[in-house]
Amino acid sequence: MTGRIIRITGPVVEADGMRGALMYELVHAGTDALIGEIIGLAEDVATIQVYEDTTGIAPGEPVERTGAPLSVELGPGLLGMVYDGIQRPLEVIRNEMGDFIIRGATLPALDRRRTYAFTPVAEAGGKAVPGTVIGTVAEGRFVHRILVPHGTEGVFASVAGAGEYTVMDQIAAVLSAGGSEVPVTMLRRWPVRVGRPFAEKLRPKDPLITGQRIIDSFFPIVKGGTAAVPGPFGAGKTVVQHQLAKWSDADIIVYVGCGERGNELADVLRQFPALSDPRSGTPLMDRTVLIGNTSNMPVAAREASVYTGITIAEYYRDMGYDVALMADSTSRWAEAMREISGRLEEMPGEHGYPAYLASRLAGFYERAGKVRVLGPSGSEGSVSVIGAVSPPGGDFSEPVTQNTLRVVRVFWALDADLAHARHFPSINWLTSYSLYPDDVQGWWNAHGGEEWSAMRGAMMAILQKEGELEEIVHLVGPDVLPEDDKLALHVAGIIRESFLIQSAFDPVDTFCPPEKQYHMMRLITDYARYGKEAVEGGRSVAEIASLPVAARLARLGSMENEAFTEYFEETEREMAAAFGKGAGGRT
Amino acid sequence: MTSPAREYTSVVRVSGPLMVVSGVGDAAYGEVVEVRLPDGEKRLGQVLESRTDIAVIQVFGGTQDLDTDITSVRFTGEPLRMVVSPEILGRIFDGSAAPADGGGAVIPGKIVDISGSPINPTARAFPEDCIETGISAIDGMNTLVRGQKLPIFSGAGLPHSRLAAQIARQARVLRDQEEFAIVFGAMGITNEEARFFLNEFEETGALEHAVVFINRADDPAIERIITPRLALTAAEYLAFDLGMHVLVILQDITAYCEALREVSAARDEVPARRGYPGYMYTDLASVFERAGRIHGRKGSITQLPIISMPDDDITHPVPDLTGYITEGQIVLSRDLHRKGVYPPIDVLPSLSRLMSGGIGEGKTREDHGGVSDQLYAAYAKGRRLESLVTVIGEEGLSEADRRTLAFTARFEKEFIGQGVGGGRTVDETLDAAWDLLRLFPGEELNRISPALIEKYLRREAP
């Protein structure tokens, strides 16, 4: 099972004597046993992408096959960890090897010595099929269900009693129909490039609530949905991704920092342990798995990082959890593919990207979804995927953006002009879209109110109107517009300034609960309606704009969530009075 | 890399910056070679690709006068390394670390691989100490923090050198007196620019705590690939071994990228955009990511790379990829320069991603964030109105719009255009901002909290 290196060029190495090796098999290359993966075979020559710096490797050095594909370790202890692109534990590496990453580290992803309190659920003699719950351990506040692994079927020959076990200890044995007894531990391995199986895909219907107004109220994503966030540099992709990782109401977050900045990861590591989840009150880090393969870490491991991330996400999905995965940035992943493809001297497609770019992107996003999991529990879990895209020069016509848009159902287009004016999140309300509003309407009716859909439509219509009017204003100035158009511009300004702008750095405004979003929408749509009636009744827009209630609307976002109801009612009353409506308006 | 040195004369091909040697067999990827020319001159090279029969080598000193007969190649068995010691401070080197100031070789303290190793992301300390540069457009609206990489995007003929030198001269950390150093890495800059920096360093006495590496425009282009790595290796030593706070100025990254493109083209690689190689993002990251702070270590590396944008095009691959790696950018504007504004910083496309962590109460001032947002909102609106006014004239504007226009003019002239003289403190910058914000009635300042408006707007009212 040993080959010999015959060529080295950057992260790509060729070896001969490899006949019988498998595509995507994991190998150890060179005398330093660097981890690599076979990405091409020709006769007895294998082409290998190496996940570490290849400096110093020379022809003639050995290549050892492992017989297994690139896999991740799955089991209790994943939450709160920080891994590189091929699931090496970065904090452990730092403790053992120092502040700089030295190559050749081979440390297990899951701690072999740590014990977990196991509580059995299955009993000896019971039926065991893939997905059957053997028992549970507590992983922080989560119930970590230990399931019968795929490919194992029969009856339980034994199930361990309650007690402390490591991930390597046997916790059950399954007697297969063929009569062999298969020992089961809590540790699983799964090849990253293969999606984990499930019983069936379901139609998602619950929104993934993110606490970001323009997302939840205008361009919602569902639990099990897919979204892309493209934008030029400086438009705030990373802040959007961080906000979603912090505040979205998924159970588990997998955050993949793919070819991005080291300081961004440091920022997450600084904030997440200190911030608490608004729903459970526990530190955000306790529900998060971080995959960090920064831009200066080996490029092949960057290519693998998104697969490592999504496999971990699927593992928690299979326990019945709602998982959200953020990949920042999928363009760096695509570029890693391009770099490797270039070294292989493959015929390039558009912009030098390999011809299989579209199918790889589609294959990745297709691993998202809401599913019924395998096994008798019949429980449901979901993986939502939100990918950042970094188009060169901010040009959305480039291949990564275009191929991503073909497969995702939500598009949050970040806009450089908005970012320059410090309008954040800089999601452009005219070009962005979501295909889920109809799916989540039922949820909003139950949790906000019946008018969600109508108010959303009304607000978007006003913004649309503003977009059309802007061209005219540019030609002839705002003065000549009729009063109702002036009102549209005025209300659009209020929607932008008081609803769409949301400060990620304001301690209150950073997370806006759905009920508050709903009430804000009501105030603004009421204001628009009253304003329209007033204009029809002969009042001028200048007069309406000078009412003090307009200034009150501007401060809705930063109003403490607890005090909001009172402020909301007061504003409603004041507005009704200013427009000469009956006391209280509506309640 | 354990192989001992081997010597060959089997050069079979020389083309552009590359040379192919046959029959080597065991050349290690990235190994350094010493090329001896027929006339005895020695040049450095590095293995770019190694096969059982041939090795492809890039020659840093250029391939002129190489032949396929007498030229000999010594494989050293080592990666590219350099000597560092406390004595490098105050020294001037050429683009491949040979002394260029008439001084002798550096007495070895430590020999290190110039490609460095990535900092483990979990070891990074998040940058949050504000550096006061004395420049309002930066301090007030795009605050630089220690450990950040903040490039200056410029164009031909714009005063980026002067700005970089001014920052190097004025930069200080609030409430802190610690050891600092400047590392200057020049790639392909003109003799005149080089002289400007050296004069500047000498006049201000900065040279004694500076290390300078200069590859001039007429020096070998391929050498530019190693110059920034030398500069950063020196910086890492000063910062993480000696505990100094290091400001690294790299000029010009565009010349560096052109050297990368030259090597890539010579290897017939599939190009990405405009002929630049597909791995340019990764390569630039291996330079720019060598900035930062590390938990438990005293020093820091702050990078101020200078990028000249061909045709002032910010979407050109070099500024574009740079912007995706660095933590913001300072963009110089030809329009402002023409108007006589110095420094001609266009704040709208400029950004400091690490600003929010370095400002505010206890760091700079409680009103810093709000004031900055308000200036941005008002100036962006003013610029929109200016383009409107060229079409419809000022008569069609409301009074509020005219206020914004007045603000915009004064903002460019007084706040941005502070002139070449000394700097402003952060407090002076923020006070200057409030002087302009007083043009607006308080309720129009919707990006600042009412309490702060109350406190600052009425203070020392004119």
Side-chain angles (χ1 to χ4, degrees), chain A residues 56-380:
Chain A
I57 306 287
E61 291 188 25
V63 173
E64 298 282 347
R65 290 176 50 195
T66 65
L70 176 67
S71 302
V72 288
E73 289 191 354
L74 302 169
L78 288 167
L79 295 180
M81 290 295 285
V82 187
Y83 293 114
D84 76 353
I86 52 171
Q87 214 203 6
R88 287 181 297 192
L90 285 171
E91 276 167 325
V92 183
I93 287 181
R94 183 187 168 212
N95 292 338
E96 305 234 329
M97 308 178 97
D99 294 336
F100 293 88
I101 293 177
I102 314 293
R103 66 181 189 187
T106 47
L107 289 159
L110 292 176
D111 191 336
R112 297 292 190 263
R113 282 165 309 214
R114 187 169 159 193
T115 60
Y116 296 89
F118 173 78
T119 311
V121 172
E123 288 172 2
K127 198 170 168 225
V129 295
T132 306
V133 180
I134 305 171
T136 61
V137 301
E139 187 178 11
R141 68 186 166 91
F142 293 98
V143 177
H144 191 114
R145 298 182 183 89
I146 310 292
L147 310 177
V148 172
H150 304 289
T152 305
E153 206 162 335
V155 292
F156 286 107
S158 65
V159 175
E164 294 278 325
Y165 298 90
T166 70
V167 292
M168 301 298 281
D169 291 331
Q170 180 177 329
I171 44 127
V174 173
L175 189 63
S176 72
S180 61
E181 204 174 289
V182 184
V184 179
T185 67
M186 291 195 273
L187 179 77
R188 303 290 143 75
R189 278 174 218 282
W190 190 264
V192 297
R193 294 182 197 278
V194 181
R196 286 172 61 84
F198 47 83
E200 65 170 320
K201 275 219 172 169
L202 305 170
R203 187 187 165 124
K205 57 184 189 320
D206 292 332
L208 180 74
I209 293 297
T210 64
Q212 312 304 304
R213 288 187 288 271
I214 189 164
I215 293 177
D216 294 345
S217 295
F218 275 26
F219 309 109
I221 176 174
V222 293
K223 292 195 173 87
T226 50
V229 199
F233 62 81
K237 283 183 299 297
T238 300
V239 177
V240 168
Q241 292 277 43
H242 282 193
Q243 287 296 93
L244 297 187
K246 282 176 192 166
W247 309 125
S248 61
D249 68 344
D251 299 310
I252 310 272
I253 301 291
V254 179
Y255 192 92
V256 185
C258 173
E260 290 288 302
R261 304 172 182 89
N263 279 333
E264 282 170 2
L265 215 60
D267 192 20
V268 173
L269 288 174
R270 176 186 67 132
Q271 290 192 37
F272 278 36
L275 288 172
S276 56
D277 181 349
R279 291 161 200 92
S280 69
T282 53
L284 284 176
M285 199 64 204
D286 293 358
R287 67 162 189 171
T288 307
V289 184
L290 282 175
I291 315 289
N293 212 89
T294 56
S295 55
N296 57 337
M297 286 160 72
V299 68
R302 187 197 307 166
E303 194 272 331
S305 63
V306 297
Y307 294 110
T308 297
I310 200 149
T311 308
I312 292 172
E314 287 171 340
Y315 175 68
Y316 281 97
R317 173 202 70 189
D318 291 347
M319 290 175 218
Y321 288 114
D322 291 315
V323 188
L325 177 135
M326 285 91 201
D328 185 16
S329 151
T330 58
S331 291
R332 305 300 161 224
W333 168 50
E335 281 165 16
M337 273 189 252
R338 175 169 72 183
E339 186 170 337
I340 303 289
S341 164
R343 304 270 188 188
L344 297 178
E345 289 159 18
E346 290 173 341
M347 182 65 82
E350 259 183 300
H351 289 224
Y353 286 104
Y356 45 81
L357 172 72
S359 59
R360 290 278 172 90
L361 280 168
F364 169 67
Y365 280 104
E366 272 305 291
R367 288 175 74 171
K370 183 177 174 72
V371 304
R372 184 180 333 281
V373 304
L374 290 179
S377 73
S379 42
E380 296 173 2

Side-chain angles (χ1 to χ4, degrees), chain B residues 317-332:
Chain B
V318 177
D320 190 54
L321 293 179
T322 298
Y324 277 119
I325 303 166
T326 54
E327 286 131 355
Q329 63 279 336
I330 301 295
V331 183
L332 301 191

Side-chain angles (χ1 to χ4, degrees), chain A residues 422-491:
Chain A
R422 295 311 187 257
H423 174 120
F424 287 118
S426 67
I427 297 174
N428 185 310
W429 49 89
L430 296 179
T431 49
S432 301
Y433 61 78
S434 163
L435 301 180
Y436 296 122
D438 295 342
D439 298 299
V440 301
Q441 199 181 335
W443 186 94
W444 275 99
N445 285 347
H447 294 84
E450 299 282 338
E451 287 164 70
W452 182 73
S453 204
M455 294 192 303
R456 176 176 178 272
M459 285 168 79
M460 288 180 74
I462 293 171
L463 291 168
Q464 190 78 40
K465 180 94 184 168
E466 180 194 40
E468 290 161 14
L469 288 175
E470 232 156 43
E471 279 180 37
I472 303 173
V473 168
H474 256 254
L475 290 176
V476 295
D479 251 18
V480 298
L481 291 179
E483 286 296 300
D484 58 338
D485 284 352
K486 280 187 195 161
L487 180 74
L489 289 181
H490 168 63
V491 177

Side-chain angles (χ1 to χ4, degrees), chain B residues 335-395:
Chain B
D335 275 350
L336 290 175
H337 184 57
R338 275 200 208 104
K339 286 187 196 167
V341 171
Y342 178 86
I345 296 175
D346 185 354
V347 291
L348 293 188
S350 298
L351 169 73
S352 164
R353 292 166 187 272
L354 302 183
M355 176 170 177
S356 62
I359 60 165
E361 210 174 346
K363 288 184 172 154
T364 54
R365 218 168 77 178
E366 53 183 348
D367 57 330
H368 198 155
V371 165
S372 171
D373 284 351
Q374 194 69 58
L375 291 176
Y376 266 110
Y379 183 57
K381 187 170 171 211
R383 289 268 292 265
R384 263 203 316 276
L385 288 170
E386 275 179 348
S387 69
L388 188 61
V389 163
T390 54
V391 183
I392 61 161
E394 252 185 74
E395 300 73 42

